[in-house]
Amino acid sequence: MGFLKNYIKTVYEAVSSLLKGMKRTGYYFTHHKEIITQSYPDNKDTMILPERFRGEVVMPHTDSNEHRCTGCTACELACPNGTIKIITKFEMTPEGKKKKALDTFVYHLELCTMCNLCIEACPTNAIKMAQNFEHSVYDRSQLTKTLNKEGSKLMEGVE
Amino acid sequence: MFSLEKISIGVQTALNNSLPAFWALMAQFAIVGVLVISLFAVLGLVLVFMERKVSAYMQIRLGPNRVGYKGTAQTLADTLKLLVKEGLIPDGADKFLFRLAPYVVMISAMLLMAPIPFSRNFQIWDINIGVLYISAISSMAVIGILMAGWSSNNKYSLLGAMRSGAQIVSYELSAGLSVLSIVILSGSLQLSEIIQSQENGWWLFKGHIPAVIAFVIFIIAVTAETNRAPFDLAEAESELTAGFHTEYSGMRFALFFLAEYANIFIVCAIGATLFLGGWMPFHVGSWSAFNQIMDYIPGSIWFFGKTFLLIFVIMWFRWTFPRLRIDQLLNLEWKYLLPIGLINLLLITVMAILGWHF
Amino acid sequence: MNMESIVFYMLAFLVLSGGIMAVTARKIFRSAIYLLFSLVGIAGLYFLLAYEFLAAVQVVVYVGGIVVLIIFSIFLTQAADSDLPKALRGRKVFSFLATAAGFALVLTQILRHNFIPSGSEPVSTNVTEIGLRMLSTGEGGYALPFEVVSVLLLAAMIGCIVIAIKKPGNS
Ligand code: SF4
Ligand code: SF4
């Protein structure tokens, strides 16, 4: 008898759990307002990207064309696929000392996996993730970008 | 009132009056052939679109929505693409069998169309052993699948074909048993008579709980027989890269694809015929006024409505349940469906003998 | 020649050519498929005789059962693309002789038999009749053979289980 009871119980539980699943999908099927698909590119203006979406690495600049990158290459070392190449130069400080500074921040978008490791590695919060994702170009070389702007310099007080 | 029966009789008399008997018969063959093929084509388009929309809504997506009005022309575009695509044959393949396999699958699907009653007296062949014929022919499709899997000379295809064979052969038993219960209730193998026996109510309602159990078993078994998720181990994309039709492309692939949907339609049509009364309108015992109102809806609409309802249920399964493992699949059949089906058959027999059904 | 004889000759051609190709094919899987054609042709002949029940049973048993079983055993035992070895000369001669003898036997029987032409109406046997005969114990009933066969099947089934079952503690 115990066997039979177990058997019926298994069948009952199986059927009820399957019905539960079907209830869920049935709910979605009849409630179209739950749909999360966005009709890109029709909705380009109203499109909402999730907060944590990562599109590319950028380096914010202030109005006076200053960034916070010291050229420490921590991000270059942190990157798992060699996406970042920091070219440094030596600048003379007002005291007459030589000091390492950023010359060019080369960023290979085509290699980047948007893993966020470089951003976490940066001691001065000089770079961050942006949400732009429309990266398609006709030539691969256009994906290699320089993140620091022409003539920019290090922000005062950032070490 | 619109009726397919009158049209078919009209065409028949017109042909017989204007042509000698032999050519009239030939013309009828041709008409039936063209109708079946065009029904298949339309079914393919409609069902693929339906499946994509249903799956999309169940997964909170939009589904195809660009080509044509709200995406309705999407499957047409896909078909065109498949038509112009190159059909590759792998080097080590058995070329003859590789070419033959899709046609075997397709032809067995077409043969299954013969005894299905679309409306009152609108049936290609009212064979007196209809139900047996259906189970006979449907066992032929598995040969096409085995052929495809073997001739591709690809281990995934072979595995897929073997799984599919094992699955179809074992689930045929349960499907057969549940069909048998309706045969016992109605006392006939002929589909038209089975429908006639449901004039005062469908077997699903007349047969009490055993009929409902038989119906559920039937639906599960035919889902497995048509190789659809959750029983799609035969073509499991993630393990077998589509199984027996891995190597197929272009039109030959399209034939397999079409046959799959045609088979779904056919098994659902059979389910609708056996359990839901086919083209028989919804009748309740002795409410003659109600029954008359229901009679105003043409039988073909009833038939297609019920069939598509069942198709929707099967799609619902597909987009809800995860795929079974092979041992779970065989467990389900041999430890659950078959014993329950047998006991159920016994109950139904007792019921039919004692006349407990309505 | 009327419609019926055209169909008959087509089916006969299918049966015979399928049979010949099944024994001469060099790939075993193809043999199975040709055998299938032959069996389907025989089912077609039954349909032509308006004996639908036997036709359907032929398809269920031979196509759905036997051929699938054969194909499965090929899948499990044979390499997909290897040819069978060529038959030896002696075996060829012997099998030809055996076939010829069998053919002669059948032919003499057919020629000696006095066929009675039936009416133009096909003799129809309905399923109810067959079912009742199967279980009747009276004159022309098949209850005993039916039960014997079912016992045989049961024995076969138990045998399969005994062969396939895992011995406890012997995994
Ligand atoms: S996000 Fe990852 S891959 Fe991209 S640059 Fe930063 S560390 Fe490299
Ligand atoms: S971005 Fe940050 S981690 Fe990278 S070089 Fe500049 S300061 Fe260093």
Side-chain angles (χ1 to χ4, degrees):
Chain A
M1 268 298 97
F3 160 73
L4 201 64
K5 211 174 126 196
N6 255 340
Y7 186 86
I8 292 173
K9 203 171 137 222
T10 327
V11 173
Y12 172 75
E13 278 172 0
V15 171
S16 62
S17 77
L18 291 181
L19 285 181
K20 206 181 273 174
M22 285 178 71
K23 203 175 131 201
R24 182 93 295 233
T25 41
Y27 172 80
Y28 284 142
F29 183 76
T30 45
H31 290 70
H32 291 186
K33 65 174 193 306
E34 300 264 356
I35 288 177
I36 51 173
T37 311
Q38 304 191 18
S39 308
Y40 179 82
D42 297 350
N43 69 341
K44 242 177 170 168
D45 311 323
T46 56
M47 182 173 51
I48 309 154
L49 285 173
E51 203 183 310
R52 286 160 60 198
F53 176 77
R54 303 176 193 149
E56 62 174 337
V57 175
V58 293
M59 181 180 285
H61 286 65
T62 58
D63 294 340
S64 47
N65 208 7
E66 286 174 332
H67 57 73
R68 298 171 62 91
C69 176
T70 57
C72 71
T73 70
C75 52
E76 181 176 347
L77 292 172
C79 179
N81 11 313
T83 308
I84 298 172
K85 185 94 196 92
I86 309 279
I87 301 171
T88 52
K89 61 183 176 190
F90 286 100
E91 261 175 5
M92 298 304 273
T93 52
E95 296 97 62
K97 268 202 273 173
K98 261 196 188 170
K99 189 173 170 250
K100 205 159 91 169
L102 179 71
D103 181 45
T104 333
F105 189 113
V106 184
Y107 171 56
H108 294 276
L109 178 55
E110 75 271 28
L111 297 178
C112 182
T113 56
M114 315 297 163
C115 68
N116 210 31
L117 290 176
C118 53
I119 279 96
E120 277 168 22
C122 179
T124 56
N125 290 334
I127 44 179
K128 64 166 195 173
M129 278 290 177
Q131 297 211 310
N132 174 32
F133 60 92
E134 291 161 321
H135 293 308
S136 55
V137 284
Y138 283 103
D139 185 355
R140 201 162 39 146
S141 63
Q142 281 168 277
L143 291 174
T144 305
K145 296 180 175 178
T146 307
L147 289 193
N148 55 329
K149 285 190 190 147
E150 191 71 26
S152 60
K153 58 180 194 301
L154 183 64
M155 198 186 289
E156 284 295 317
V158 177
E159 282 301 319
Chain B
M1 201 172 76
F2 164 79
S3 134
L4 288 171
E5 182 188 2
K6 285 189 190 118
I7 299 174
S8 67
I9 290 175
V11 169
Q12 196 173 6
T13 42
L15 279 175
N16 279 330
N17 289 342
S18 56
L19 292 170
F22 177 78
W23 291 111
L25 189 65
M26 282 294 145
Q28 281 175 20
F29 277 160
I31 292 173
V32 167
V34 169
L35 280 182
V36 168
I37 290 173
S38 43
L39 178 65
F40 268 31
V42 173
L43 272 181
L45 293 180
V46 172
L47 288 182
V48 173
F49 182 71
M50 177 173 160
E51 170 116 75
R52 292 183 65 177
K53 272 296 187 192
V54 168
S55 70
Y57 286 142
M58 288 193 174
Q59 298 174 339
I60 351 182
R61 294 183 289 115
L62 277 175
N65 57 17
R66 295 295 156 113
V67 190
Y69 175 70
K70 289 199 185 275
T72 35
Q74 182 68 51
T75 40
L76 203 62
D78 289 346
T79 316
L80 279 180
K81 181 202 74 179
L82 282 174
L83 278 173
V84 296
K85 239 179 150 176
E86 185 187 1
L88 287 173
I89 300 184
D91 243 355
D94 189 328
K95 306 239 161 38
F96 169 61
L97 294 182
F98 189 82
R99 291 208 182 90
L100 184 68
Y103 296 101
V104 173
V105 174
M106 200 64 210
I107 287 173
S108 61
M110 284 189 173
L111 285 177
L112 278 178
M113 213 61 139
I116 292 177
F118 291 93
S119 178
R120 189 188 295 271
N121 292 337
F122 191 79
Q123 192 173 2
I124 298 172
W125 186 19
D126 191 9
I127 179 171
N128 61 4
I129 47 149
V131 173
L132 190 60
Y133 172 88
I134 286 166
S135 59
I137 300 294
S138 62
S139 63
M140 264 173 69
V142 64
I143 303 270
I145 289 174
L146 291 173
M147 220 190 257
W150 187 81
S151 63
S152 302
N153 192 22
N154 171 328
K155 52 178 170 269
Y156 297 116
S157 303
L158 191 64
L159 268 177
M162 292 202 35
R163 284 186 184 182
S164 155
Q167 182 177 324
I168 293 179
V169 169
S170 46
Y171 276 79
E172 232 171 35
L173 291 172
S174 300
L177 280 181
S178 48
V179 167
L180 215 55
S181 52
I182 293 304
V183 172
I184 288 174
L185 282 176
S186 61
S188 172
L189 286 169
Q190 197 166 359
L191 286 178
S192 55
E193 278 184 28
I194 290 179
I195 292 182
Q196 212 55 52
S197 70
Q198 307 186 49
E199 204 168 17
N200 54 351
W202 306 341
W203 280 124
L204 187 63
F205 304 129
K206 283 203 298 181
H208 307 295
I209 292 172
V212 177
I213 294 176
F215 181 64
V216 172
I217 291 177
F218 178 81
I219 291 289
I220 295 174
V222 297
T223 314
E225 267 197 72
T226 45
N227 281 332
R228 282 178 62 84
F231 304 100
D232 62 342
L233 307 104
E235 36 197 278
E237 298 89 351
S238 43
E239 337 163 7
L240 294 181
T241 61
F244 65 89
H245 57 63
T246 304
E247 300 289 355
Y248 282 85
S249 57
M251 216 37 229
R252 289 191 198 98
F253 169 74
L255 277 181
F256 273 123
F257 203 57
L258 189 59
E260 182 186 333
Y261 282 95
N263 275 327
I264 295 165
F265 174 80
I266 288 163
V267 294
C268 288
I270 293 164
T273 305
L274 295 178
F275 293 93
L276 303 177
W279 49 259
M280 191 60 84
F282 183 68
H283 283 174
V284 179
S286 52
W287 303 2
S288 53
F290 177 79
N291 293 351
Q292 253 164 20
I293 295 172
M294 285 296 169
D295 282 340
Y296 273 107
I297 305 173
S300 46
I301 291 185
W302 278 108
F303 172 77
F304 280 104
K306 289 169 192 172
T307 308
F308 273 84
L309 185 79
L310 289 188
I311 292 175
F312 175 74
V313 170
I314 283 187
M315 285 183 180
W316 196 351
F317 287 167
R318 171 163 182 182
W319 298 106
T320 307
F321 304 143
R323 181 184 305 135
L324 272 75
R325 245 181 8 236
I326 186 84
D327 59 322
Q328 294 168 333
L329 178 101
L330 295 176
N331 263 352
L332 174 66
E333 163 66 16
W334 296 102
K335 289 197 182 154
Y336 294 95
L337 294 189
L338 197 61
I340 294 177
L342 278 171
I343 291 172
N344 198 42
L345 189 65
L346 200 67
L347 276 180
I348 287 199
T349 318
V350 170
M351 220 168 74
I353 291 172
L354 297 181
W356 281 349
H357 60 88
F358 297 115
Chain C
M1 209 149 62
N2 60 354
M3 191 68 184
E4 229 151 72
S5 31
I6 296 175
V7 174
F8 171 77
Y9 283 115
M10 271 160 56
L11 286 173
F13 176 75
L14 183 69
V15 173
L16 289 179
S17 58
I20 290 173
M21 297 216 295
V23 288
T24 52
R26 298 289 309 282
K27 284 199 168 108
I28 187 147
F29 186 77
R30 281 211 183 180
S31 290
I33 298 299
Y34 294 135
L35 179 66
L36 167 85
F37 288 159
S38 186
L39 295 171
V40 169
I42 292 173
L45 285 179
Y46 289 138
F47 271 121
L48 189 65
L49 291 172
Y51 198 4
E52 284 102 356
F53 179 74
L54 197 56
V57 168
Q58 164 90 5
V59 174
V60 169
V61 173
Y62 284 98
V63 176
I66 308 271
V67 172
V68 170
L69 260 185
I70 291 176
I71 290 177
F72 257 74
S73 38
I74 292 171
F75 276 3
L76 292 173
T77 54
Q78 299 278 326
D81 46 359
S82 61
D83 283 1
L84 291 175
K86 260 205 157 70
L88 301 172
R89 167 89 52 81
R91 277 190 205 164
K92 268 188 190 163
V93 172
F94 178 75
S95 42
F96 179 77
L97 286 179
T99 328
F103 186 66
L105 188 70
V106 172
L107 205 63
T108 45
Q109 286 303 315
I110 289 176
L111 291 178
R112 271 171 48 190
H113 186 77
N114 201 7
F115 286 101
I116 313 154
S118 69
S120 53
E121 275 298 300
V123 190
S124 69
T125 326
N126 65 4
V127 188
T128 328
E129 184 94 351
I130 296 172
L132 288 177
R133 270 293 163 80
M134 278 289 190
L135 291 179
S136 95
T137 47
E139 185 78 4
Y142 280 87
L144 185 63
F146 189 79
E147 289 306 321
V148 170
V149 167
S150 60
V151 170
L152 182 71
L153 279 179
L154 185 68
M157 233 147 79
I158 293 173
C160 287
I161 293 171
V162 168
I163 291 171
I165 204 163
K166 266 193 215 137
K167 292 198 179 59
N170 185 11
S171 54

